[in-house]
């Protein structure tokens, strides 16, 4: 299965200048395609408080690495899914897994030319 680096997601408590609301996860996210280092900032409305150190705790409190995949269902076969799959917006379906002690996001894009309706074509990092 083909996989390409997409971005690094970093949780923050600070509002960012250009955030997009994700109803499913109740968080605001920035567009990593407009960041030179491909960083996405995530700010949660109500951060769950699971057991410290657990995969779920890492999801809400630690950075994640995101990869673009061609087939999300194939990508998650045999993986420890901790959140999703879901569509944060019309451009992609995503899922978060726990692998090698870290959180990884897989994105299957449906539209690579937009991010939350904003025209920003995806290009390899």
């Amino acid at each position: 299965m083909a996989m390409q680096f997409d971005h690094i997601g970093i949780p923050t408590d600070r509002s960012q200048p250009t955030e997009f609301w994700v109803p499913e996860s109740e968080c605001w996210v920035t567009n990593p395609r407009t960041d030179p280092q491909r960083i996405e900032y995530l700010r949660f409305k109500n951060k769950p408080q699971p057991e410290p150190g657990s995969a779920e705790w890492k999801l809400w409190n630690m950075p994640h690495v995101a990869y673009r995949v061609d087939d999300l269902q194939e990508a998650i076969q045999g993986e420890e899914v901790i959140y999703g799959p879901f569509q944060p917006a019309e451009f992609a379906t995503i899922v978060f897994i726990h692998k090698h002690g870290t959180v990884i996001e897989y994105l299957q894009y449906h539209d690579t030319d937009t991010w939350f309706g904003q025209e920003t074509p995806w290009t390899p990092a």
Side-chain angles (χ1 to χ4, degrees):
M1 179 194 54
M3 201 180 303
Q4 291 181 313
F5 172 78
D6 193 84
H7 67 267
I8 301 288
I10 300 177
T12 183
D13 292 330
R14 293 189 177 135
S15 176
Q16 303 296 310
T18 55
E19 296 177 318
F20 300 91
W21 175 246
V22 182
E24 176 81 21
S25 54
E26 293 193 328
C27 75
W28 292 269
V29 298
T30 62
N31 185 343
R33 297 181 195 175
T34 61
D35 185 273
Q37 284 75 43
R38 298 298 279 254
I39 295 174
E40 169 193 54
Y41 292 97
L42 302 94
R43 184 170 59 92
F44 301 101
K45 180 179 177 183
N46 298 308
K47 193 184 302 185
Q49 294 302 318
E51 181 70 28
S54 67
E56 291 81 11
W57 182 88
K58 291 175 186 177
L59 175 65
W60 304 107
N61 294 282
M62 301 294 291
H64 68 265
V65 178
Y67 293 96
R68 178 181 180 193
V69 298
D70 294 330
D71 185 335
L72 195 67
Q73 291 305 311
E74 180 183 344
I76 64 174
Q77 288 299 312
E79 300 291 358
E80 179 186 352
V81 173
I82 53 176
Y83 198 81
F86 70 97
Q87 279 191 272
E90 71 287 342
F91 67 91
T93 302
I94 67 172
V95 67
F96 291 90
I97 66 166
H98 187 239
K99 186 172 188 167
H100 305 300
T102 193
V103 174
I104 297 173
E105 176 185 5
Y106 291 147
L107 298 98
Q108 182 176 346
Y109 283 105
H110 309 298
D111 175 4
T112 56
D113 291 329
T114 64
W115 180 272
F116 288 90
Q118 180 184 66
E119 189 174 322
T120 47
W122 187 91
T123 56

